[in-house]
Amino acid sequence: RRLPLDELADYEGLSVFYAAGPPEAQLCGASRVAVVGGGNSAGQAAVWLARGGALVTVLHRRADLRETMSDYLIRELERYGVAVRDRSELAALHGSDGRLEAVTLADGERLPFSFLFCFLGAQPCTEWLDDAVARAADGFILTGDAAGAEYLLETSVPGIFAAGDVRSGSTKRCAAAVGEGSMAVQLVHQRLAAAAARVA
């Protein structure tokens, strides 16, 4: 999910990111960094960046981070000196040439940040499918029993499979998506072999 800010695209990939890996941690060392979100992914990113030397602040919209984040991560935030700001929503970004300098919160307060990391959950981007296959209310594709399908990763249309983040109930992790993708290939072969046996 992206923040509903008009100027967001100007900063994406330069000072606004949706992942916090080694390259981002190296880029942000000793900089003021905001992590937007209140879930475990946001907490893990904040800890990772703080361990890399960044001065990290978690901005989340709820009254208490404990509503959405695991206790162990909250303890890690404290351990690594991550600041937490409750009831904080972004209203504007400030900077030039894709380089973030500050953000303005919905209450009008302006805070200096050089980098922004967004962990607001995921959207499946499956609108293009329309009604071709069954989807959950949130747009993720139903598979297996939930779709009334014969095979675990099969959609509501026999012979069409879904794997990875787009699938309802998936763990939304890269390694899991790769594993599901290879499993889907195996299931396609099983379906084709079953179809060939019926014809023979």
Side-chain angles (χ1 to χ4, degrees):
R1 290 196 172 109
R2 300 173 77 234
L3 290 164
L5 302 173
D6 293 338
E7 66 273 24
L8 182 64
D10 297 340
Y11 299 94
E12 289 176 319
L14 296 170
S15 52
V16 172
F17 301 99
Y18 298 92
E24 292 82 13
Q26 186 174 14
L27 180 67
C28 298
S31 298
R32 291 190 179 278
V33 172
V35 173
V36 181
N40 285 348
S41 294
Q44 290 165 350
V47 169
W48 171 258
L49 294 167
R51 287 173 58 187
L55 304 170
V56 183
T57 300
V58 171
L59 304 172
H60 70 103
R61 59 187 175 89
R62 294 181 183 260
D64 187 352
L65 197 56
R66 286 172 175 76
E67 295 177 37
T68 54
M69 191 179 290
S70 298
D71 287 340
Y72 84 92
L73 274 172
I74 293 171
R75 288 192 299 274
E76 287 292 287
L77 295 178
E78 294 168 359
R79 177 180 175 196
Y80 287 100
V82 174
V84 177
R85 293 192 56 127
D86 304 330
R87 296 186 179 98
S88 297
E89 294 187 57
L90 292 182
L93 305 177
H94 309 283
S96 59
D97 299 322
R99 301 291 175 197
L100 188 67
E101 295 171 8
V103 302
T104 297
L105 301 180
D107 65 5
E109 185 178 3
R110 188 169 170 144
L111 301 171
F113 291 115
S114 299
F115 297 94
L116 183 69
F117 290 82
C118 301
F119 291 90
L120 306 170
Q123 288 182 308
C125 301
T126 57
E127 301 82 18
W128 62 275
L129 287 169
D130 198 29
D131 293 328
V133 296
R135 294 181 293 151
D138 57 6
F140 288 92
I141 298 172
L142 298 173
T143 57
D145 289 342
E150 183 178 354
Y151 296 92
L152 181 64
L153 299 177
E154 193 170 31
T155 68
S156 59
V157 177
I160 297 179
F161 294 80
D165 292 3
V166 76
R167 193 177 66 77
S168 181
S170 68
T171 57
K172 313 296 186 267
R173 293 288 184 263
C174 185
V178 171
E180 285 187 10
S182 64
M183 186 167 47
V185 171
Q186 181 182 3
L187 294 172
V188 167
H189 287 287
Q190 287 179 13
R191 175 166 271 293
L192 292 174
R198 283 194 295 269
V199 171

